[in-house]
Amino acid sequence: MTNSPILIAFDTVFDQCSIAILQGDDVIYTKTVAGGRGQTEIILSMLDNALKETNINLSDVGVWAFNRGPGAFSGIRINTAVVQALSIANNSPCVGVSSLMTLAYMAYEQSAQKEQNMTITAVMDARQNQVYAGDFIIDNGTLISKDEYLLDYDGVVQADMVVGDGVDLVQTNAQKMVVQPTAQHIARLAYPLFIKGEAVTAEHALPVYLRHNAWKTLAEQGKNNPTHQTNQ
């Protein structure tokens, strides 16, 4: 092993189980399994396999990263809880990464035109006639978050690019892009934050729902459709 810190990132928010191991600037392992069922068992099994295949011990991990939301309520809870537990057991810090920033980051990486001062709005279907929205700007090659909020369907979005599964739910003249981020994108965003000293302890590794009535909404929608994974 080199002296570079090892970061392990998880995502269970984008309707998948995804794990990535990053050491320094290199992603040395990544795997993604599509689907939003049985995520707790699947993600823990994936972690065991990843550690075995890379010959990494839990004690080697310097930081844990996770998708802190907004997005699928159960998915946020799962990867947050997993990272909190691993952080406590291993006495190592955590970094939460915005799902909306992850979408914007991947869109920027795939964009043919990487312009300075480029504006990107990420939009995810939040159900209940709303989308989660996040505004970002590219400043000297760095993705900077401006705001995250709820926006009604058919709301107007003004940006150079709009990305996410909610692109057709809003009104915009911007370039549209739909992408599927994985844990390696979470890892890429989390690592600079860790280096800058922005990692936190497990008790401060908190999810972001944007909706304040998340628990109530989950119960209400569960009555109507018990098999539906609620987005909060």
Side-chain angles (χ1 to χ4, degrees):
M1 308 298 291
T2 70
N3 292 324
S4 299
I6 293 174
L7 178 150
I8 296 185
F10 299 94
D11 174 57
T12 56
V13 177
F14 290 116
D15 195 29
Q16 63 189 2
C17 286
S18 185
I19 184 172
I21 303 178
L22 184 146
Q23 187 167 25
D25 293 326
D26 299 321
V27 174
I28 62 175
Y29 180 92
T30 184
K31 185 172 183 179
T32 299
V33 176
R37 294 183 178 276
Q39 288 175 303
T40 302
E41 294 78 9
I42 292 172
I43 201 70
L44 291 175
S45 175
M46 290 173 68
L47 173 61
D48 287 341
N49 291 335
L51 294 174
K52 290 176 182 177
E53 290 187 30
T54 56
N55 292 316
I56 292 173
N57 297 315
L58 285 177
S59 58
D60 296 325
V61 182
V63 60
W64 304 93
F66 66 104
N67 186 337
R68 53 87 163 158
F73 182 77
S74 58
I76 295 172
R77 288 185 62 200
I78 289 168
N79 70 179
T80 302
V82 167
V83 163
Q84 287 174 331
L86 290 167
S87 173
I88 293 171
N90 200 41
N91 193 29
S92 49
C94 314
V95 176
V97 175
S98 163
S99 56
L100 295 168
M101 176 171 273
T102 307
L103 286 167
Y105 169 74
M106 190 173 181
Y108 175 65
E109 287 293 299
Q110 293 188 1
S111 174
Q113 296 179 331
K114 292 181 169 59
E115 302 175 359
Q116 292 300 318
N117 300 318
M118 178 181 182
T119 57
I120 303 174
T121 295
V123 286
M124 297 171 62
D125 188 0
R127 311 293 190 265
Q128 301 183 59
N129 297 311
Q130 289 182 315
V131 297
Y132 303 115
D135 296 331
F136 303 88
I137 188 169
I138 306 300
D139 185 11
N140 293 321
T142 301
L143 182 66
I144 298 174
S145 176
K146 306 298 287 185
D147 193 17
E148 293 187 2
Y149 51 95
L150 283 165
L151 179 68
D152 290 341
Y153 284 177
D154 293 327
V156 177
V157 174
Q158 296 181 337
D160 297 316
M161 179 183 294
V162 180
V163 60
D165 65 5
V167 293
D168 292 326
L169 301 175
V170 297
Q171 297 185 47
T172 183
N173 292 321
Q175 176 187 350
K176 295 180 180 180
M177 185 180 293
V178 177
V179 296
Q180 182 67 31
T182 65
Q184 65 177 313
H185 301 98
I186 300 289
R188 290 288 189 195
L189 287 170
Y191 187 71
L193 298 176
F194 170 62
I195 295 300
K196 289 192 294 184
E198 297 185 22
V200 299
T201 58
E203 63 182 357
H204 294 107
L206 303 176
V208 172
Y209 298 116
L210 289 187
R211 268 203 190 107
H212 299 301
N213 64 336
W215 287 92
K216 179 179 178 182
T217 302
L218 181 68
E220 288 177 345
Q221 292 198 3
K223 290 177 182 178
N224 295 330
N225 187 354
T227 63
H228 177 68
Q229 182 181 32
T230 306
N231 282 338
Q232 298 303 331

